[in-house]
Amino acid sequence: MRTALLTAVLLSATSASAQIYRWVDEKGTVHYSNSSPPQGAKATVFDREAKAGPPSPESAECYTVRCQGERLEQRLARQQELDARLAAERAAATPPRPRGLDFRRYISLSRGMSEGELLTVAGSPDVLFSDDYGIRHYTYLPTTVDPFTTTILVIGGRISQIERVRKF
């Protein structure tokens, strides 16, 4: 009888020690233990004899710290390359900042000037709209230095109208 009781106690002790408990206390600290958690703690039980799953493709046949470090460096290099490519795509997608038309260039313009003279004096516009009838609207947007929007109407290759409005 004593041997049966002793055997039962030993078997229950070995089965209990083969379990690992994981729980989180009220402060948020994670605890692991082979003894049962305190009363009221919600614990997850892990089997100590559980076999590890298959290794990830990145760590297969790579058991040394040096090998794992090299793999980590490769992953970091790929991530940096991806970040740089995404940053370049974002930079290419953002519209250019408005250049505007400063006052000295504005007073150099006059009605009747050719379109080529306009582009020589004022430079390329921030917005260019042209329709099917050969009418072009050159728009120079406001900047912090020059808060005026300048719109120049070109009909038949000549400046027809110049409008400069202060817009906020």
Side-chain angles (χ1 to χ4, degrees):
M1 173 85 172
R2 279 185 155 178
T3 32
L5 183 62
L6 183 61
T7 307
V9 169
L10 286 176
L11 286 175
S12 66
T14 57
S15 65
S17 67
Q19 293 179 341
I20 299 174
Y21 298 95
R22 177 189 183 273
W23 74 93
V24 180
D25 65 7
E26 61 277 349
K27 294 179 184 176
T29 307
V30 178
H31 297 278
Y32 292 93
S33 176
N34 60 350
S35 60
S36 59
Q39 196 68 6
K42 193 172 189 179
T44 306
V45 179
F46 295 99
D47 186 14
R48 181 180 285 177
E49 304 299 323
K51 302 291 185 203
S56 66
E58 294 180 349
S59 64
E61 299 179 15
C62 185
Y63 303 107
T64 65
V65 173
R66 180 179 180 182
C67 180
Q68 291 291 329
E70 290 171 354
R71 298 266 175 100
L72 177 64
E73 289 174 1
Q74 292 170 357
R75 287 195 307 269
L76 289 174
R78 283 194 306 265
Q79 183 64 40
Q80 288 174 349
E81 182 180 311
L82 176 65
D83 290 344
R85 185 172 47 91
L86 292 175
E89 288 175 3
R90 281 192 303 271
T94 57
R97 297 177 61 111
R99 297 177 339 120
L101 182 65
D102 65 345
F103 184 72
R104 290 183 183 196
R105 292 183 178 178
Y106 166 71
I107 61 172
S108 300
L109 300 176
S110 64
R111 292 180 64 196
M113 286 178 74
S114 70
E115 193 171 0
E117 291 173 314
L118 165 67
L119 292 174
T120 302
V121 171
S124 61
D126 295 323
V127 179
L128 173 63
F129 173 75
S130 55
D131 61 10
D132 296 335
Y133 303 107
I135 300 173
R136 293 184 179 205
H137 296 267
Y138 288 85
T139 305
Y140 297 89
L141 299 174
T143 61
T144 55
V145 177
D146 188 36
F148 292 92
T149 300
T150 307
T151 305
I152 302 168
L153 180 66
V154 177
I155 300 175
R158 298 278 176 193
I159 295 178
S160 174
Q161 181 181 355
I162 302 173
E163 179 183 1
R164 189 165 170 94
V165 179
R166 184 176 185 133
K167 293 186 178 180
F168 297 123

